[in-house]
Amino acid sequence: AFGRGSARDADLEALEEVLIEGDVGVRATQDLLAGLRGLPAEQRNAAGMTRALRSRMRALLADVPPETASLPKTPWVVLVVGVNGVGKTTTIGKLAARHRAAGRSVLLVAGDTFRAAAIEQLGVWAERADCQIVKQGPGSDPSSVVFDGMSAAVARGVDVVLIDTAGRLHTKVNLMEELKKVRRVVDRVLPGAPHEVLLVVDATTGQNAVSQARTFAGAVDVTGVILTKLDGSARGGVVVAISHELGLPVRYVGVGESVADLQPFDPDAYVDALLA
Amino acid sequence: SLSDKLEGVFRRIRGTGKLTEANIEEAMRDVRMALLEADVHFQVTKSFIEKVRERALGQEVLRALSPEQHLIKIVHEELVGVMGGAAGKLELSGDVPAVIMLVGLQGSGKTTTAAKLAKHLLDARKRRPYLVPLDLSRPAAIQQLKTLAAQVGEGCGVYDTPDQGGNPVQIARDAVTKARNAGFETVILDTAGRLAIDEKLMGELRSVRDAVKPRQTIFVADAMTGQDAVAVAKGFRDGVGIDGVVLSKMEGDARGGAALSIYATVQKPLLFVGVGEKLDALEIFHPDRVASRILG
Ligand SMILES: Nc1nc2c(ncn2[C@@H]2O[C@H](COP(=O)(O)OP(=O)(O)OP(=O)(O)O)[C@@H](O)[C@H]2O)c(=O)[nH]1
Ligand SMILES: Nc1nc2c(ncn2[C@@H]2O[C@H](COP(=O)(O)OP(=O)(O)OP(=O)(O)O)[C@@H](O)[C@H]2O)c(=O)[nH]1
Ligand SMILES: [Mg+2]
Ligand SMILES: [Mg+2]
């Protein structure tokens, strides 16, 4: 893609491969590398270009606001959404434990009423994180469970509500409508809620993650992203486009299947790992 | 779309005179971009473009009346040619029960696919399936498969994996014995999701394989997988061995380049695609459909 010949072109090609193979995507890669063309001669080597690339990438990733000691509002309501199998339920368990460790009371809402054993799965996490759970039988209306959960949270004065939803492909209009209804129900019980809408994205996902983010954001006003399964070989480079094109900051990363395997997003460490 | 891009390339070319190697090179860049945007792996794309370039530089494009149509035709043919080699039937001949072991990354769709396969075997191939929950770590995973087994219905059995204790090797052995004694034709082992780079868990998978000698080890991968498809496919291929592939969640709008990346890496049949969450949402893999989708 850069012609043949000069050492600088070989370096650019090597960087292009690193970015593409990290799932940064063709367009974002081209923009990032185009920015290197203006480098002065003495910086046009592998080390200089990597350094310049690192700072350009870092600039595309939104800064992560530090976790505050106290919640801006209570109950603080978090709605967790995303396509099938990305790690929503597991991530809720991890988030619950984090809030519990900070001394807060937590209530989980079993909003996935469709998938086999989804409610039981969240129930195990409620036990592990020592928190309350509101659920109904399988096949019940998700909006009804969410209404119950929100009402209970307000009545009991819990600090944090984490709402689990069923995985759904963003292309399924009826399922996206169902999600919009869930969000409306939350706001109806507690105006202004949900205070966070977190889109869970699997680090192994390719460019489809951008389309997922765009559609979910359009439907339910996503406020942030959680990138899971970063303990694998995938780099989740799609978050560069998601952060830059859609303005969605990455808040946390999932790095394993146990309750402690959740870390606040560190953009510098992230870029280093991607360019390694 | 790729055809629009190539049309633009060739319109410019025709304005300047006859087709040359340099012109074809510009078109190759557009084809390359289309494949990368469809999530086909960087290196797999490179090899594929080399094959296409060879044919494109042949007289068939350089003289063609509509070079962009001709080039699209070559790319599509090459893609279908590669993917076409990938279509295959699930072979279950030999010892009874035939054991199928499903493997793959976390969340790729193994448990759901296990139940779908059971339903397919029962309905389409008159083979009674015996489902075996072997995921002892994920919360409520055993319950998930037991619930799905009940949904598959009459004729489908499920091993009563205990909620606590036991290990996958001993459970797999006991399950195959029970299935054989009860006359089931097929055993389907649903394993826990794991990273291909997890040495310990890949070792566990090998132990299960050695204990029950599956007729088919099927790699279940998510259709939206990006560049990591090659590393993961390699990991499972070299770590436990892959006899066939199922691509899940294909009914979405992911371009599905992972199909090409995985096939190029494992060279084993792409048996089925998952096209939904319900148990009847399993289809035979169609190479021409996947090729058209990758090209966009
Ligand atoms: N290695 C790894 N596995 C993870 C991570 N997060 C979740 N998982 C695993 O991914 C699989 C799916 O997780 P779930 O929490 O069920 O995903 P989900 O989005 O709720 O799935 P659905 O509700 O079916 O859409 C499980 O096996 C989890 O243990 C992570 O950060 N790293
Ligand atoms: N839309 C869609 N969803 C699917 C398909 N196949 C599976 N799923 C969903 O993907 C999610 C994950 O499926 P599972 O069967 O739990 O995946 P798994 O590989 O067993 O997950 P682990 O055991 O945690 O590794 C669930 O929400 C399934 O309903 C499919 O073909 N299409
Ligand atoms: Mg879930
Ligand atoms: Mg499973």
Side-chain angles (χ1 to χ4, degrees):
Chain A
F2 299 98
R4 287 141 270 264
S6 79
R8 193 206 72 173
D9 289 333
D11 290 335
L12 273 177
E13 278 196 42
L15 287 175
E16 184 201 34
E17 182 164 1
V18 167
L19 293 176
I20 298 275
E21 289 188 1
D23 285 311
V24 170
V26 179
R27 224 160 290 282
T29 296
Q30 286 177 340
D31 291 344
L32 283 166
L33 295 180
L36 299 186
R37 298 234 160 83
L39 280 181
E42 67 272 14
Q43 284 184 40
R44 267 191 236 143
N45 48 50
M49 293 204 285
T50 305
R51 230 186 347 267
L53 188 56
R54 180 175 288 122
S55 74
R56 281 181 66 80
M57 276 192 72
R58 178 65 188 81
L60 295 179
L61 293 170
D63 277 325
V64 192
E67 283 171 310
T68 52
S70 60
L71 300 166
K73 292 195 166 68
T74 55
W76 183 255
V77 182
V78 184
L79 181 66
V80 178
V81 304
V83 302
N84 306 75
V86 295
K88 299 177 291 302
T89 306
T90 307
T91 299
I92 285 174
K94 297 171 182 177
L95 281 170
R98 248 185 121 74
H99 283 294
R100 293 291 295 132
R104 298 166 185 147
S105 57
V106 177
L107 185 142
L108 306 186
V109 180
D112 182 353
T113 57
F114 170 75
R115 206 211 67 214
I119 299 167
E120 289 89 330
Q121 185 186 5
L122 191 67
V124 173
W125 283 106
E127 278 174 41
R128 285 180 182 179
D130 178 35
C131 48
Q132 309 169 44
I133 179 167
V134 165
K135 57 188 174 179
Q136 288 179 13
S140 50
D141 175 11
S143 290
S144 162
V145 185
V146 170
F147 179 85
D148 280 2
M150 284 299 297
S151 310
V154 172
R156 298 177 203 173
V158 291
D159 297 318
V160 182
V161 183
L162 303 175
I163 305 173
D164 192 16
T165 62
R168 68 203 68 220
L169 295 187
H170 53 292
T171 46
K172 301 195 172 173
V173 179
N174 58 330
L175 296 184
M176 294 307 287
E177 285 306 311
E178 174 187 271
L179 195 59
K180 286 182 194 171
K181 184 172 175 209
V182 161
R183 197 212 148 99
R184 280 197 301 274
V185 165
V186 172
D187 179 66
R188 193 165 310 143
V189 177
L190 184 66
H195 307 104
E196 284 188 87
V197 178
L198 298 178
L199 174 71
V200 179
V201 173
D202 185 327
T204 65
T205 311
Q207 297 310 301
N208 194 248
V210 182
S211 148
Q212 292 172 20
R214 194 171 290 124
T215 307
F216 274 93
V220 290
D221 261 330
V222 172
T223 60
V225 168
I226 298 186
L227 185 63
T228 58
K229 309 181 194 174
L230 217 48
D231 46 318
S233 47
R235 294 288 107 230
V238 283
V239 296
V240 173
I242 291 175
S243 182
H244 182 61
E245 285 177 35
L246 305 177
L248 294 178
V250 179
R251 294 232 177 265
Y252 297 98
V253 294
V255 291
E257 303 189 66
S258 311
V259 72
D261 293 331
L262 188 74
Q263 300 165 359
F265 183 59
D266 176 348
D268 295 300
Y270 178 77
V271 174
D272 286 344
L274 206 156
L275 294 179
Chain B
S1 72
L2 181 61
S3 33
D4 297 335
K5 282 212 196 86
L6 291 182
E7 209 178 320
V9 171
F10 285 111
R11 201 176 319 123
R12 286 192 298 281
I13 289 173
R14 256 179 265 133
T16 65
K18 68 186 205 54
L19 285 181
T20 62
E21 287 197 16
N23 295 332
I24 296 288
E25 211 40 49
E26 188 180 350
M28 286 300 101
R29 276 201 287 279
D30 278 349
V31 175
R32 178 177 179 264
M33 256 191 78
L35 293 175
L36 292 176
E37 283 173 344
D39 291 325
V40 179
H41 188 267
F42 188 92
Q43 292 297 343
V44 173
T45 298
K46 208 168 180 194
S47 322
F48 183 81
I49 292 294
E50 268 154 38
K51 285 211 212 81
V52 171
R53 180 185 290 114
E54 231 174 278
R55 280 188 63 181
L57 292 177
Q59 291 311 301
E60 51 179 321
V61 175
L62 289 176
R63 288 212 204 103
L65 286 165
S66 160
E68 64 272 21
Q69 288 309 322
H70 212 99
L71 191 56
I72 297 259
K73 182 161 160 296
I74 290 174
V75 176
H76 197 267
E77 271 178 22
E78 278 300 314
L79 208 48
V80 173
V82 175
M83 304 305 301
K89 184 159 179 277
L90 178 63
E91 295 294 345
L92 296 174
S93 55
D95 292 342
V96 180
V99 178
I100 298 173
M101 181 169 73
L102 299 186
V103 303
L105 292 179
Q106 290 88 346
S108 64
K110 298 174 292 302
T111 304
T112 311
T113 300
K116 288 179 181 179
L117 268 175
K119 181 161 175 59
H120 167 76
L121 290 169
L122 200 54
D123 298 347
R125 291 175 63 162
K126 305 286 179 282
R127 295 183 68 108
R128 274 163 317 139
Y130 192 72
L131 289 167
V132 185
L134 279 190
D135 182 349
L136 309 183
S137 49
R138 168 175 154 157
I142 297 167
Q143 186 54 50
Q144 185 185 3
L145 190 60
K146 285 180 176 174
T147 301
L148 292 176
Q151 290 175 15
V152 175
E154 194 71 54
C156 177
V158 61
Y159 184 80
D160 191 7
T161 301
D163 281 324
Q164 300 288 356
N167 69 67
V169 171
Q170 154 230 21
I171 290 169
R173 275 209 190 99
D174 194 43
V176 173
T177 304
K178 281 201 160 66
R180 184 177 297 119
N181 294 343
F184 286 93
E185 285 88 4
T186 322
V187 172
I188 301 173
L189 308 174
D190 176 29
T191 68
R194 68 204 64 215
L195 299 175
I197 57 175
D198 188 325
E199 295 279 343
K200 180 162 171 287
L201 287 185
M202 292 307 289
E204 173 190 272
L205 216 47
R206 278 192 292 278
S207 306
V208 172
R209 177 199 63 193
D210 296 344
V212 297
K213 313 260 184 306
R215 178 69 177 79
Q216 294 274 344
T217 297
I218 298 181
F219 176 55
V220 180
D222 196 319
M224 58 183 175
T225 309
Q227 296 286 313
D228 202 38
V230 165
V232 175
K234 265 199 190 118
F236 279 90
R237 179 197 70 192
D238 299 342
V240 67
I242 296 174
D243 299 309
V245 180
V246 171
L247 228 48
S248 67
K249 310 175 204 172
M250 272 289 262
E251 82 278 20
D253 64 352
R255 297 279 293 283
L260 182 58
S261 302
I262 292 170
Y263 184 66
T265 305
V266 308
Q267 298 276 300
K268 286 290 154 79
L270 270 163
L271 299 166
F272 299 101
V273 292
V275 291
E277 298 191 65
K278 304 224 172 83
L279 296 190
D280 55 6
L282 191 71
E283 287 179 1
I284 306 290
F285 166 74
H286 288 286
D288 52 333
R289 275 191 220 160
V290 175
S292 303
R293 175 174 175 154
I294 289 176
L295 291 181

